[in-house]
């Protein structure tokens, strides 16, 4: 049976699944070639062709047979490619500046991790009483709370924090000189 694309399209628009399948078999390769020329990328052409084929059953209801089916289908493909480019441009514009923001965020995270690593190493070189006190205070405990945990006075906690700071400054100065 030699049925024209227009006849198949009209039958498919009426819900004939076999006509739709035959229509896709006839037009798919040409549609893919056009999509490739429109996008310049095999991956993009595959996506565009699939998107068009997925939306085609709904769009076929608007096909009246006034023009050749391929002319009508290629107009849909060109419009779909334009829509895709506009969406991509909008996304790129919306994402503009986020790359810089993310790089700065990652740099800040790396810097924080380096400082935490340095502090952890530096605290390991402190006497136990200073290290324990500093660990508690760095964990957002008040001097009163840290004193209760360690069984010493608040004044002792303040003195230990002062000594720990001196120790850290000396370590940093030594490292900066080397």
């Amino acid at each position: 049976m030699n049925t024209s694309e227009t006849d198949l399209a009209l039958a498919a628009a009426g819900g004939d699944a076999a006509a739709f399948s035959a229509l896709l078999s006839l037009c798919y390769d040409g549609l893919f070639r056009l999509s490739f020329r429109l996008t310049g990328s095999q991956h993009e052409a595959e996506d565009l062709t699939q998107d068009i084929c997925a939306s085609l059953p709904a769009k076929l209801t608007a096909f009246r047979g006034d023009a050749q089916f391929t002319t009508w289908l290629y107009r849909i493909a060109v419009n779909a490619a334009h829509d895709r480019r506009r969406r991509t441009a909008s996304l790129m514009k919306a994402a503009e500046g986020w790359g810089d923001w993310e790089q700065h965020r990652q740099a800040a995270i790396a810097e924080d991790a380096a400082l935490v690593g340095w502090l952890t190493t530096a605290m390991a070189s402190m006497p136990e009483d200073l290290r324990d006190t500093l660990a508690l205070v760095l964990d957002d405990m008040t001097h009163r709370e840290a004193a209760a945990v360690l069984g010493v006075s608040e004044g002792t906690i303040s003195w230990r924090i002062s000594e720990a700071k001196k120790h850290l400054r000396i370590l940093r100065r030594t490292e900066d000189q080397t």
Side-chain angles (χ1 to χ4, degrees), residues 9-175:
L10 291 171
D16 186 338
F20 183 75
S21 179
L23 186 61
L24 279 184
S25 293
L26 286 173
C27 299
Y28 189 87
D29 290 340
L31 181 59
F32 176 78
R33 282 191 301 275
L34 175 63
S35 296
F36 183 78
R37 287 191 300 274
L38 291 170
T39 63
S41 157
Q42 181 178 347
H43 174 73
E44 287 292 318
E46 289 169 350
D47 285 350
L48 181 62
T49 303
Q50 290 299 314
D51 289 347
I52 294 166
C53 289
S55 68
L56 195 55
K59 292 186 184 293
L60 273 173
T61 58
F63 181 68
R64 298 287 170 236
D66 299 335
Q68 285 186 338
F69 177 74
T70 52
T71 303
W72 180 83
L73 180 62
Y74 286 7
R75 173 57 38 224
I76 289 175
V78 169
N79 288 340
H82 286 223
D83 290 346
R84 184 178 283 254
R85 283 192 288 265
R86 276 193 298 271
R87 265 193 314 273
T88 300
S90 293
L91 288 173
M92 295 298 282
K93 188 173 182 178
E96 203 170 277
W98 283 100
D100 292 340
W101 177 84
E102 179 62 15
Q103 286 179 337
H104 291 301
R105 189 179 77 84
Q106 290 297 328
I109 289 170
E111 185 177 329
D112 288 349
L115 288 173
V116 167
W118 180 85
L119 184 58
T120 301
T121 303
M123 286 176 66
S125 69
M126 290 181 180
E128 283 184 26
D129 59 342
L130 297 181
R131 180 177 48 225
D132 295 346
T133 303
L134 188 57
L136 291 171
V137 172
L138 287 175
D139 200 30
D140 291 331
M141 279 196 164
T142 65
H143 286 209
R144 175 176 286 153
E145 293 167 334
V149 168
L150 296 174
V152 295
S153 71
E154 283 184 62
T156 300
I157 296 296
S158 296
W159 177 83
R160 287 180 180 176
I161 293 296
S162 174
E163 290 298 306
K165 285 180 181 179
K166 286 180 196 173
H167 185 82
L168 293 174
R169 273 194 297 273
I170 291 169
L171 280 175
R172 180 59 91 182
R173 232 181 276 130
T174 303
E175 288 177 5

